Amino acid sequence: MIPELSNPSVLMRDPQRVQEILESMVKAGSNTLQVISDFDMTLTRFAHNGKRCPTCHSILDNSKLISEDCKEKLAGLLNTYYPIEIDSSRTVEEKLPLMVEWWTKAHELLVAQKIRKDLLSVAVRESGAMLREGYQLFFDHLHKHSIPLLIFSAGIGDILEEVIHQAGVFHPNVKVFSNYMDFDESGVLKAFKGELIHVYNKREGALLNPGHFQELRTRRNVLLMGDSIGDLTMADGVQDMENILKIGFLNDKVEERKQPYLNSYDIVLIKDETLEVPNAILLYLTGIHLCWYRCCLSVCT
Ligand code: TMP
Ligand code: MG
């Protein structure tokens, strides 16, 4: 049905079920669709030319805005807690308090650095942040078809907005739930706003925003994209859900995490640094095939 689903990076627990969900979504029409996506390592690349790409936090951590001493402490936290985040031998319940600990300590360190709001754009420009290949088509196509995109991130809202702004794809159909910085009157970071969002409490984050999902109550079909098991709860606030298709990027520790990912995501993309598969699905759901789209592009350009 969608040739890209036969790509070598694609694994599916139940391809027949994926087909049924897609058919049901096509029948319902793209005016019933909404997309909910994680940001770090889902919309952005995990690695490029064998080198890790930065998360929102590491864009800041590696920037000139942070002292050498603080960089060392933040790197220490990453080395301690990231292996716990992706450890498939621990339960989410076990990981929860440790994730709160990581985010709290990291945010305290960042606040102590007195980061200036007006320098964030430079930090992003000078970082190696990269959206996945195909991002332009992804964002532009959703915008063109007025399909709402919720970016739901445990990263830093100010940074992720700057990344998509600099890429020229922060369209009006995009809404962001994330951790936002709070600046004092002279534009210096003094705290983080609101309830903390970490990788394993996105369900609570979703339930704190009933107004958003109420506005989108006619959009009963959801395309969910994530790279963490915690991302599976991002759509928990959606009202009267009809269908949900979950796409999971499995970037790291592939062999030990393959089975849990296959059990919970409908489509698992193994070490795939592109948005080719989500784009092919989106085009299919809006009545276009990716290969036709490419042919049209090559004729027009
Ligand atoms: P996401 O929800 O957009 O994926 O963002 C969460 C990621 O941020 C998560 O995978 C871990 C990462 N992270 C860092 O890289 N450094 C940090 O200091 C913290 C707290 C999180
Ligand atoms: Mg992520």
Side-chain angles (χ1 to χ4, degrees), residues 148-162:
L149 167 62
L150 171 63
I151 302 180
F152 198 155
S153 171
I156 302 172
D158 310 71
I159 300 286
L160 92 76
E161 285 196 8
E162 191 56 38

Side-chain angles (χ1 to χ4, degrees), residues 23 40 70 107 144 157 169 180 185 191 211 213 217 249 280 298:
E23 274 170 21
D40 289 317
C70 183
H107 288 185
K144 186 168 156 223
V169 291
Y180 277 89
E185 54 296 336
F213 295 108
R217 65 192 172 281
F249 287 88
S298 61

Side-chain angles (χ1 to χ4, degrees), residues 38-42 227 231:
D38 168 56
F39 187 72
D40 289 317
M41 310 299 126
T42 296
D227 77 297
D231 295 329

Side-chain angles (χ1 to χ4, degrees), residues 47-62:
H48 183 56
N49 292 337
K51 216 179 136 230
R52 282 292 302 270
C53 292
T55 61
C56 293
H57 282 91
S58 39
I59 288 174
L60 261 191
D61 300 357
N62 302 332

Side-chain angles (χ1 to χ4, degrees), residues 212-243:
H212 171 77
F213 295 108
Q214 170 70 14
E215 249 175 63
L216 298 186
R217 65 192 172 281
T218 58
R219 304 244 170 205
R220 295 176 173 189
N221 290 299
V222 179
L223 185 67
L224 179 144
M225 294 159 55
D227 77 297
S228 158
I229 291 293
D231 295 329
L232 288 157
T233 63
M234 293 188 299
D236 284 10
V238 174
Q239 299 181 5
D240 306 320
M241 180 118 64
E242 210 165 280
N243 295 288

Side-chain angles (χ1 to χ4, degrees), residues 41 44-48 51-54 82 130 132 227 251-252 271 273:
M41 310 299 126
T44 56
R45 295 181 68 121
F46 178 76
H48 183 56
K51 216 179 136 230
R52 282 292 302 270
C53 292
Y82 175 67
M130 285 178 90
R132 284 185 194 266
D227 77 297
N251 303 308
D252 205 1
K271 287 195 176 291
E273 293 290 355

Side-chain angles (χ1 to χ4, degrees), residues 188-206:
V188 171
L189 179 64
K190 62 170 185 186
F192 279 80
K193 293 179 188 166
E195 293 297 316
L196 176 74
I197 303 175
H198 59 75
V199 266
Y200 292 113
N201 74 347
K202 290 193 175 183
R203 176 182 160 77
E204 287 71 22

